């Protein structure tokens, strides 16, 4: 029985390790490293103190247990030595935690070092907008960054308070309307790292995800250049019809597609939407089926979505999906 339970427990633990990329235990920046180092230090201090306290407790409970014929032991109150010891002990422990934590707080809250790459991060219900002001690129939900380059994320919100958090890159920080916040870090390895809005911001707070895509400097530059290009003009007639419909069926009022009359600012910029791996606040893979489900009834796919159900018919859905998929 015990062996079975242990086996099940171990299996669960192994699964947990394998399928949780959204973890702070696999740090990919100096900021994330510092946070994890502090966490591990404090956990070990807690474990050591816990073991000592439990050992003394168990020893005392056994050694001084009540035996037959025992009378009430002498009652002592206010033993000065013990009072001093158990007051100064915790003060020293907590003081040490403060001593190692404060420098990390000051380092990670300080302004970004000179030469950092600026990215404006704007929270919306319920998706993230990323603007690269120096490159004139706007994208959403997928934050591309070059490895080894310090990035200064300039946090704003368009509506309510959100919180930007990619566990692999470090601590979370709030994005406020009407107030600018900053968070900076230097990604140290390539890969894709998921994150999650961390401030209850409405109905689909839990559906407000994001991912950091850390690339080699060359790959990042290639991506940036491709994002700067004007939208693809598809020769496929279905996609072209979708492009027309996009301008006339209401989409253009909320979304921008560079170099077209569509200049709406309410929803994500879709100039290169087909180059993204995910849609709708990074909750769905960017496939034709998911795009179709999404366009058909956005508030059903993501409760509280500001994108309305436009009542698109099957043909309209087909051509719009073809168009969006052509926007590489
Ligand atoms: Cu945005 Cu929670």
């Amino acid at each position: 029985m015990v062996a079975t339970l242990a086996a099940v427990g171990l299996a669960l633990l192994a699964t947990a390790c394998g399928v949780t990329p959204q973890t702070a235990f696999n740090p990919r920046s100096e900021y994330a490293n510092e946070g994890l180092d502090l966490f591990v230090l404090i956990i070990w201090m807690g474990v050591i103190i816990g073991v000592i306290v439990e050992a003394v407790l168990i020893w005392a409970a056994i050694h001084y247990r009540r035996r037959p014929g025992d009378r009430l032991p002498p009652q002592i109150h206010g033993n000065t030595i013990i009072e001093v010891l158990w007051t100064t002990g915790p003060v020293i422990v907590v003081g040490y935690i403060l001593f190692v934590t404060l420098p990390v707080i000051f380092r990670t809250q300080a302004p970004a070092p000179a030469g950092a790459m600026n990215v404006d991060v704007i929270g919306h219900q319920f998706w993230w907008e990323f603007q690269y002001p120096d490159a004139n690129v706007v994208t959403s939900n997928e934050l591309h960054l070059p490895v080894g380059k310090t990035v200064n994320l300039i946090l704003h919100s368009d509506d309510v308070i959100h919180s930007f958090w990619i566990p692999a890159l470090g601590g979370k920080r709030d994005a406020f309307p009407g107030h600018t916040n900053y968070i900076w870090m230097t990604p140290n390895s390539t890969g894709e790292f998921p994150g999650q809005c961390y401030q209850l911001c409405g109905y689909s707070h839990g559906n407000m995800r994001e991912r950091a895509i850390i690339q080699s400097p060359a790959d990042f530059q290639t991506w940036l250049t491709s994002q700067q290009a004007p939208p693809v003009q598809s020769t496929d007639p279905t996609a072209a019809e979708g492009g027309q419909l996009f301008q006339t069926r209401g989409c253009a009022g909320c979304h921008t597609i560079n170099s077209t009359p569509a200049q709406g600012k309410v929803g994500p910029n879709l100039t290169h939407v087909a180059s993204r791996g995910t849609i709708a606040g990074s909750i769905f893979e960017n496939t034709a089926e998911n795009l179709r489900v999404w366009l058909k009834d956005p508030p059903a796919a993501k409760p509280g979505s500001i994108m309305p159900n436009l009542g698109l018919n099957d043909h309209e859905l087909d051509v719009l999906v073809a168009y969006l998929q052509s926007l590489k």
Side-chain angles (χ1 to χ4, degrees):
M1 181 63 187
V2 174
T4 318
L5 276 178
V8 169
L10 275 176
L12 277 175
L13 209 62
T15 332
C17 295
V19 296
T20 52
Q22 192 167 296
T23 174
F25 289 95
N26 190 5
R28 301 305 182 113
S29 79
E30 82 289 24
Y31 186 167
N33 269 323
E34 290 200 278
L36 183 61
D37 287 349
L38 277 180
F39 178 82
V40 168
L41 173 75
I42 292 167
I43 284 289
W44 276 114
M45 286 170 66
V47 166
I48 291 165
I49 291 167
V51 166
I52 292 171
V53 169
E54 283 304 312
V56 172
L57 191 71
I58 291 168
W59 174 80
I62 294 171
H63 192 76
Y64 295 107
R65 70 187 181 279
R66 187 172 184 190
R67 295 183 172 82
D70 274 359
R71 281 181 302 174
L72 198 63
Q75 300 297 295
I76 49 164
H77 293 289
N79 182 307
T80 309
I81 292 173
I82 292 177
E83 294 283 349
V84 167
L85 281 180
W86 68 34
T87 305
T88 51
V91 166
I92 290 169
V93 170
V94 174
Y96 181 69
I97 292 174
L98 187 71
F99 176 73
V100 293
T101 305
L102 271 182
V104 176
I105 292 176
F106 282 113
R107 261 200 304 281
T108 56
Q109 301 283 324
M117 180 179 84
N118 286 327
V119 179
D120 282 285
V121 175
I122 301 151
H124 299 263
Q125 284 174 317
F126 300 94
W127 55 282
W128 292 99
E129 180 172 352
F130 302 119
Q131 299 182 349
Y132 299 72
D134 300 329
N136 206 17
V137 162
V138 180
T139 185
S140 57
N141 300 321
E142 294 172 9
L143 174 64
H144 287 250
L145 297 173
V147 69
K149 170 99 180 150
T150 302
V151 61
N152 182 35
L153 302 175
I154 305 164
L155 304 167
H156 326 262
S157 168
D158 204 31
D159 35 53
V160 299
I161 304 174
H162 303 273
S163 183
F164 186 79
W165 185 40
I166 294 191
L169 295 185
K172 47 188 88 85
R173 200 152 294 165
D174 279 359
F176 296 98
H179 172 80
T180 305
N181 238 354
Y182 302 87
I183 188 171
W184 58 272
M185 68 280 287
T186 314
N188 63 22
S189 43
T190 57
E192 234 180 276
F193 306 102
Q196 163 72 52
C197 176
Y198 202 77
Q199 190 69 264
L200 184 60
C201 55
Y203 233 171
S204 266
H205 156 66
N207 291 327
M208 185 164 167
R209 302 186 199 159
E210 67 264 10
R211 55 186 68 185
I213 299 174
I214 313 298
Q215 298 171 294
S216 70
D219 286 352
F220 173 75
Q221 197 51 52
T222 305
W223 174 81
L224 204 61
T225 307
S226 73
Q227 298 294 307
Q228 288 168 325
V232 174
Q233 296 283 342
S234 178
T235 50
D236 170 40
T238 316
E241 189 188 340
Q244 290 288 318
L245 200 65
F246 190 94
Q247 302 294 339
T248 56
R249 195 63 170 81
C251 317
C254 289
H255 295 279
T256 291
I257 293 181
N258 298 353
S259 316
T260 77
Q263 295 294 321
K265 301 286 185 227
V266 179
N269 182 312
L270 299 177
T271 308
H272 296 288
V273 65
S275 70
R276 297 176 202 153
T278 54
I279 55 164
S282 211
I283 58 174
F284 302 121
E285 296 295 319
N286 190 0
T287 64
E289 300 78 60
N290 288 341
L291 269 173
R292 205 183 153 83
V293 168
W294 172 243
L295 294 179
K296 194 172 168 64
D297 190 354
K302 188 163 78 170
S305 168
I306 291 164
M307 177 154 152
N309 180 348
L310 292 174
L312 301 166
N313 65 36
D314 280 349
H315 178 70
E316 290 172 322
L317 287 169
D318 287 341
V319 298
L320 278 172
V321 168
Y323 174 58
L324 293 174
Q325 290 212 296
S326 76
L327 296 172
K328 299 279 187 205

